[in-house]
Amino acid sequence: MEEHVVKILSVQRVTHDVRAYRIEKPAGYQFVPGQATDVSINKEGWREEKRPFTFTSLNDYPYLEFTIKSYHDHPGVTDQLYQLKAGDELIIHDVWGAIAYKGEGCFIAGGAGITPFVAIFRQLYRDKAVGKNRLLFSNKTTGDIIYHDEFDRILGKNAAYILTAEDNPSYRKGPVNKTFLQREISDFSQPFYICGPDKMVADLTKVLTELGANPEAVVFEK
C-alpha cells in the first residue's frame, strides 16, 4: 500500500466540533471528487490507527484538505486529530471510494456524511455546472451544519437543511424518512447520492427503491 508522510499546513475551525485540516500534497497525488483515503497520525501509538477520510479539496489545489468531525467522548483518532496543529504529521495512503458524480440529482447527507459531497459541489461550482442539483442536509442543530454559507452560495434555494434536535421555523424538521421524501421529492427517476451513518444510508436506499428510484442510480459508499 502506498504511504506518504505529510505535514499539516493549517487547521481551521468549521463548526464547534469540526476542523478543516490542510496538509502537504505529495507530487502526482490525484483523486476524483467524492473519494477518500486512509489516514493515521504519525506519532507513537497512532501510526497503525488508520481511519477513512474524504478529500474536501480539489485536484488543482496546492494542498490536500480533510474536513473532520471530532468525537471527544472517547480517546480515539478524531479526538487526537483535534489536538494537532500546523507542523504535526499525518500518514496518508492510496485513494479509494465509490462516491462519484453521475449527473444531476438529489444529494442526501447526515451530519459529517456531507464530506464526500463537498468536493463534488466545489468542482461543479468551479465548472459552472451546478445545474438543478439539490441537497437535503440533516443535522441535529443549526450549529452542526458544516459549510452552511458555502452551500447557500453554491446551491441557493436548492440547499435544504433539516434539523432533528432543534425547533427553528427557518429550517425543515426531521427525521428524513419515507414520508419526508415523498413530501420533498417529486421525481424519483433522478440519481440519488446518500452519505451519513450506516443505518441512515441503508434505510434511505431501501426507501428510495420502494419509491421508484433505480437501485443502480443510488450512489453511496459500499
Side-chain angles (χ1 to χ4, degrees):
M1 180 184 289
E2 190 177 23
E3 184 175 292
H4 302 276
V5 176
V6 292
K7 278 189 169 60
I8 296 175
L9 302 173
S10 68
V11 181
Q12 300 176 333
R13 183 183 188 275
V14 179
T15 72
H16 62 98
D17 58 3
V18 176
R19 298 290 184 270
Y21 300 81
R22 293 181 177 178
I23 65 173
E24 292 175 325
K25 184 177 184 179
Y29 199 88
Q30 297 286 304
F31 58 91
V32 174
Q35 287 189 312
T37 188
D38 291 319
V39 178
S40 58
I41 301 168
N42 190 28
K43 68 180 183 180
E44 195 66 36
W46 294 97
R47 293 185 182 93
E48 300 306 314
E49 295 293 327
K50 303 180 187 71
R51 298 293 185 274
F53 295 112
T54 308
F55 303 104
T56 52
S57 50
L58 299 183
N59 266 316
D60 63 354
Y61 288 10
Y63 54 82
L64 298 174
E65 180 186 83
F66 301 103
T67 302
I68 299 172
K69 179 175 180 177
S70 288
Y71 299 87
H72 304 300
D73 55 351
H74 62 282
V77 171
T78 64
D79 183 59
Q80 285 290 314
L81 283 167
Y82 195 88
Q83 300 172 42
L84 299 183
K85 60 188 183 303
D88 290 333
E89 293 181 339
L90 301 178
I91 303 170
I92 62 173
H93 300 83
D94 297 330
V95 171
W96 56 269
I99 295 179
Y101 186 63
K102 299 183 184 298
E104 282 188 12
C106 182
F107 292 74
I108 306 173
I114 191 65
T115 55
F117 303 155
V118 174
I120 291 174
F121 278 118
R122 285 176 172 174
Q123 188 67 60
L124 290 171
Y125 189 68
R126 170 80 60 86
D127 296 341
K128 295 181 170 55
V130 174
K132 296 179 180 178
N133 281 298
R134 190 175 181 208
L135 172 65
L136 300 176
F137 189 9
S138 177
N139 288 273
K140 290 181 180 179
T141 71
T142 52
D144 295 315
I145 301 173
I146 297 170
Y147 296 132
H148 193 320
D149 291 344
E150 185 172 4
F151 284 120
D152 284 348
R153 183 174 70 252
I154 292 172
L155 290 159
K157 292 181 179 178
N158 282 338
Y161 306 98
I162 303 99
L163 305 180
T164 60
E166 178 187 330
D167 289 315
N168 186 320
S170 299
Y171 296 82
R172 293 163 171 80
K173 190 74 192 297
V176 179
N177 53 21
K178 189 172 186 176
T179 301
F180 179 90
L181 294 176
Q182 285 176 309
R183 185 174 70 244
E184 291 290 327
I185 298 170
S186 58
D187 176 16
F188 287 95
S189 67
Q190 64 184 311
F192 287 90
Y193 305 84
I194 312 171
C195 197
D198 290 345
K199 186 176 186 307
M200 170 192 164
V201 172
D203 289 350
L204 289 183
T205 300
K206 180 175 181 290
V207 165
L208 287 168
T209 303
E210 290 172 354
L211 292 171
N214 178 354
E216 297 300 315
V218 178
V219 178
F220 59 94
E221 196 60 72
K222 301 173 176 64

